[in-house]
Amino acid sequence: MNEIKCTIIQDLLPLYIDEVVSDDTNAMVEEHLKSCEKCKKEYQAMTQDVYIPLQTETSLFKRIKKKWNYKKWVVASTSIALTVAVLFGGFYYVMHYETIIPYDEKLVKIELEDQVLQVLYYGEDYYGFHGAEPSLMEIDGVEKNVMFFYLTETIANSPSRNLFSKHISNEQKESVVGMISPDDPQIVDAIYYTPVDMDILSEPSTDSWDVLLEGATLIWEK
């Protein structure tokens, strides 16, 4: 019997493994595998169970999960930071952003009591009193020691605060918000309520006092 070539046996191996060859062919393949180490190894490779390592799938899943968790952490941290910033900004604006209270002769008055000039406020509430030291100015051709001041409010203490509170009080109380003594070395000749922010005095301008005088209301004069 002529020796069967390995190439023929290797071609028959898939059919042999699936048991779809004739009895003669089956016997021929088995006989060849007994004497041929090369074809025997080929047969063993074909019949060996193939396992796909789970490590690759697990590692990939862990990397995806880790990346997703990191992304969620970044998004959550950013959202919290933005929320805190908005809340803080809103709180600061409500509590500390000042606006000048428009002058009203019924709400702002100056009275002389015991040689002291008192600035009185009859409104519901105010946030701050801002006054400038008396300054010598020429008004209508006459030099006078003039003082400027104004009162401020914030949303928290303005009438609009009632939007945040159920308590509404119509009672107006007198508040002494400032005192000016005529015994001061710089005698006060006139006091004006100005709608201009006092910060203008910090600017390097020679006409800052004139700007304060523009639109100001004379509420007391000696």
Side-chain angles (χ1 to χ4, degrees):
M1 182 177 179
N2 295 331
E3 184 179 354
I4 306 300
K5 293 184 179 180
C6 291
T7 54
I8 296 176
I9 296 298
Q10 290 174 7
D11 289 340
L12 292 172
L13 281 177
L15 299 176
Y16 171 76
I17 294 171
D18 292 339
E19 298 180 354
V20 293
V21 294
S22 64
D23 292 340
D24 292 339
T25 302
N26 188 73
M28 181 183 66
V29 172
E30 287 182 350
E31 187 66 24
H32 182 85
L33 291 177
K34 291 178 181 179
S35 60
C36 181
E37 194 66 28
K38 179 180 178 182
C39 291
K40 186 176 181 180
K41 289 182 179 180
E42 186 73 18
Y43 168 75
Q44 290 175 345
M46 289 183 179
T47 57
Q48 185 178 7
D49 292 333
V50 179
Y51 296 95
I52 299 175
L54 296 177
Q55 183 177 2
T56 302
E57 181 181 353
T58 304
S59 300
L60 178 61
F61 177 76
K62 286 183 178 180
R63 288 198 298 270
I64 294 175
K65 184 177 180 181
K66 184 177 180 181
K67 186 176 181 180
W68 174 246
N69 288 337
Y70 176 76
K71 185 177 180 180
K72 288 196 297 183
W73 181 85
V74 171
V75 172
S77 300
T78 303
S79 299
I80 292 173
L82 289 175
T83 301
V84 170
V86 170
L87 291 176
F88 178 79
F91 174 80
Y92 184 85
Y93 178 82
V94 169
M95 300 301 297
H96 298 289
Y97 183 75
E98 301 178 65
T99 56
I100 299 175
I101 298 175
Y103 174 73
D104 187 332
E105 61 179 3
K106 295 180 181 179
L107 300 181
V108 183
K109 297 181 180 181
I110 291 182
E111 295 181 359
L112 179 62
E113 184 176 338
D114 297 330
Q115 298 301 310
V116 174
L117 287 170
Q118 295 183 340
V119 179
L120 306 178
Y121 180 63
Y122 293 86
E124 288 186 353
D125 204 356
Y126 69 96
Y127 180 77
F129 170 83
H130 299 263
E133 292 293 329
S135 177
L136 189 62
M137 298 181 63
E138 183 176 328
I139 301 177
D140 298 330
V142 180
E143 287 192 343
K144 298 180 181 180
N145 279 311
V146 179
M147 178 182 176
F148 296 92
F149 81 96
Y150 58 75
L151 301 175
T152 60
E153 65 182 1
T154 63
I155 293 178
N157 58 32
S158 68
S160 60
R161 71 188 184 282
N162 294 326
L163 295 174
F164 308 97
S165 174
K166 295 181 180 179
H167 175 71
I168 301 176
S169 175
N170 293 323
E171 180 183 2
Q172 291 183 331
K173 298 181 180 180
E174 173 188 298
S175 300
V176 179
V177 298
M179 295 186 181
I180 307 162
S181 172
D183 295 330
D184 190 270
Q186 289 184 315
I187 303 300
V188 178
D189 296 314
I191 300 177
Y192 286 83
Y193 192 95
T194 178
V196 181
D197 196 320
M198 293 290 180
D199 288 343
I200 193 175
L201 296 177
S202 62
E203 299 177 2
S205 175
T206 56
D207 60 349
S208 296
W209 292 100
D210 293 331
V211 173
L212 286 180
L213 187 60
E214 293 178 7
T217 302
L218 176 64
I219 59 175
W220 184 88
E221 189 172 22
K222 184 170 65 173

